[in-house]
Amino acid sequence: MDTQSRHPVFETPDMAYQTMARERPVDLVRLARQTGGDRALEEEVLHLFLKQAKSIGKAMRVGTDADQRKRHAHTLKGAAHAVGAGAIADTAKAVEDSPGERRCVRALLTEIDRTCDYINSLLR
């Protein structure tokens, strides 16, 4: 096993930083568990999530009907859970439950932007 496979690209936060870790848009510990600590896989998963989140955000911004918003939200919720993006998963669930509620859609778009910015900062 090479060094990259044994050590995730995004290190587990120290106990002193646990509060800060909960505020991160992506739970890096969960991501490392999901990928078995494989650095290349973590990066690939985050790249795929970025692409999907941006695509769904763009679709919701240009206008979708309630059924489309519900499907997009459901898809994004599952992907967000897989990478540990809890805030996106929660706001996507709100859109899925109330696809006609513009406030929920705006909150999801805001969270998509925040999370994508965070992931981009990790991948630099």
Side-chain angles (χ1 to χ4, degrees), residues 24-90:
R24 291 181 180 148
V26 176
D27 180 345
L28 302 177
V29 174
R30 178 179 174 83
L31 177 63
R33 267 191 248 122
Q34 292 290 92
T35 60
D38 183 320
R39 178 183 184 163
L41 183 56
E42 287 178 11
E43 291 179 9
E44 182 179 346
V45 165
L46 288 176
H47 279 291
L48 290 171
F49 181 76
L50 267 176
K51 183 177 179 180
Q52 184 175 41
K54 287 178 181 180
S55 175
I56 288 173
K58 181 178 179 181
M60 288 190 169
R61 279 185 175 87
V62 298
T64 54
D65 64 30
D67 287 338
Q68 289 171 317
R69 283 191 296 274
K70 187 172 184 167
R71 282 193 305 277
H72 285 315
H74 180 76
T75 298
L76 188 57
K77 180 182 72 174
H81 277 300
V83 299
I88 283 186
D90 292 345

Side-chain angles (χ1 to χ4, degrees), residues 55-120:
S55 175
I56 288 173
K58 181 178 179 181
M60 288 190 169
R61 279 185 175 87
V62 298
T64 54
D65 64 30
D67 287 338
Q68 289 171 317
R69 283 191 296 274
K70 187 172 184 167
R71 282 193 305 277
H72 285 315
H74 180 76
T75 298
L76 188 57
K77 180 182 72 174
H81 277 300
V83 299
I88 283 186
D90 292 345
T91 54
K93 171 84 169 101
V95 171
E96 187 179 21
D97 291 344
S98 302
E101 181 63 49
R102 291 287 178 196
R103 179 183 49 83
C104 293
V105 174
R106 283 191 304 273
L108 178 57
L109 293 173
T110 297
E111 197 54 46
I112 288 171
D113 290 343
R114 182 176 88 95
T115 303
C116 287
D117 288 347
Y118 177 74
I119 292 171
N120 279 322

